[in-house]
Amino acid sequence: MKKMGSFRCSGPKMFSFLLICVTLWSHLSGSSGASSSRRPNIVLILTDDLDVAIGGLNPLNKTKKLIGDAGMTFTNAFVASPLCCPSRASILTGKYPHNHHVINNTLDGNCSSKAWQKSEEPHTFPALLKASAGYQTFFAGKYLNQYGHSEAGGVEHIPPGWSYWVGLANMSLDFLQYKTSYQPFFMMVSTPAPHSPWTAAPQYQKRFNNTKAPRDPNFNVHGKDKHWLIRQAKTPMSNSSIRFLDDAFRGRWQTLLSVDDLVEKIVKRLEVRGELNNTYIFFTSDNGYHTGQFSLPVDKRQLYEFDIRVPLMVRGPNIKPNQTSQMLVANVDLGPTILDIAGYNVNKTQMDGMSFLPIMEGKMNGSSWRTDILVEYEGEGRNKSDPACPLLGPGVSECFPDCVCEDSYNNTYACVRTIARSSNLQYCEFDDNEVFVEVYNVTADPYQLTNIAKTIDKEVLEKMNHRLMMLQSCSAQSCRTPGVYDPRYKFDPRQMFTSHSWRLSRLRQTVK
């Protein structure tokens, strides 16, 4: 594919650019009045850091109407990891982080590294759509965090699987070349919002002037029964931190108005082209976000609902409007679902996720669907002290001026998130010196104020610990099967995280 220099933009300019891409793509994707017998088109709109737990969908009225009301809204959609690059890698590969090995947003963390490009990129769902399902594919927006880095091949590297590629730091004009109107298409539009720096379009910079971050029960509350990184947060927060997070919250909502415009543009363009009725449109996010929960100013990376639960709305053929599903789905399911729509057999892949197309078509009931998913994260920490917070010592990162740190090298955990008729639980284990365990009954305690690890029935702990070990060692088909608990198994949290022990030992040596 011929290169045509580079293109760099952010904020409002990026949204204008995406609108141009969508308009141009619509002219390439087929003529109006396309036959409904053709395989369906697919659009994936991926936002960045959009929560659902603290009101992230509130500004998106057009999106909720044009996608949610026109199709199905999933109320229990989660990410496999609450950080951009690991999560996006899970979306593209359909795999949990322990299988795609992207652990953070750095090249050393395998984000867009040469190893990732060699081992995983050729097997992403867009690559399969293009090579084996006959789809023309188009990408515009933010890809993986380190895309375009010189050590990752620079902007000359175009991931396999894309007919037309307009990465964040690369603009190729070859997508203007005409493609057959008789091929179905897959289009992925990855917006920069509502990620920082929260630069709103000029017309939206005065909106939500009186809006503040929600003061939910877990806002500015000391997490005294949680792992050490949460316990170190200063409560109450300083006035400057509260002002900062309120401004961030307002800025996030302002940038989302441009996302709303983009969604409207895509839907209307498909309608004008006669393609809307034969197109599935997915709307979701790479992770959630928090603004003041448990006195953490702003970030993601934590195991709680506000960081791991995301919006997910889908409209398309055979999806009845105004539906809500409480089925448990994860971002590792997006690839399998899109492949299923395209007629590709997911069992031919090594994907960990499963297709939720039967749910959307009303062909699946709760008794035959999964009841748990895995969430895992490997923390980051610098091997020297933050100059602004020397008393904290080495090993922490993402520290605010008042020395509240959002991450550390031993903020490394894995969780089983269980949603069934009889239970709505979260069980998490940390790979730290405490081997800390957190358990929440989300039905009784939706804000996760009380860690019940020391009071819950030991048999339940044993079962969830066993299931967590099974999920952390699963691959492909074994990730899709319901948990089977062995009554002979004995509870031992120190058997967790064996695959990470060498790395953590090395980190501990460097931070002494």
Side-chain angles (χ1 to χ4, degrees), residues 32 59 89 207 210 214 263 292 379 463 472 498:
S32 59
R207 294 289 298 272
N210 298 319
V263 170
K463 287 182 176 182
Q472 273 221 295
T498 54

Side-chain angles (χ1 to χ4, degrees), residues 427-430 434-439 452-454 456-469 486-496:
Y427 173 92
C428 302
E429 295 183 6
F430 280 81
E434 296 179 279
V435 194
F436 201 79
V437 176
E438 294 190 32
V439 184
I452 59 173
K454 294 181 180 178
I456 195 171
D457 186 272
K458 187 178 179 182
E459 182 180 357
V460 176
L461 276 179
E462 291 176 353
K463 287 182 176 182
M464 297 195 78
N465 170 263
H466 187 205
R467 182 58 177 158
L468 181 56
M469 292 189 68
D486 185 343
R488 297 169 295 178
Y489 180 78
K490 299 304 179 185
F491 178 59
D492 184 4
R494 291 187 181 272
Q495 293 186 36
M496 282 298 303

Side-chain angles (χ1 to χ4, degrees), residues 422-447:
S422 59
S423 61
N424 184 5
L425 297 172
Q426 184 180 24
Y427 173 92
C428 302
E429 295 183 6
F430 280 81
D431 190 14
D432 58 15
N433 292 333
E434 296 179 279
V435 194
F436 201 79
V437 176
E438 294 190 32
V439 184
Y440 298 96
N441 179 342
V442 185
T443 299
D445 181 19
Y447 296 101

Side-chain angles (χ1 to χ4, degrees), residues 62-89:
K62 299 173 185 176
T63 302
K64 288 183 287 188
K65 178 181 178 181
L66 294 172
I67 302 180
D69 293 351
M72 179 172 283
T73 298
F74 289 85
T75 58
N76 289 313
F78 293 87
V79 294
S81 187
L83 186 63
C84 302
C85 205
S87 178
R88 288 165 184 264

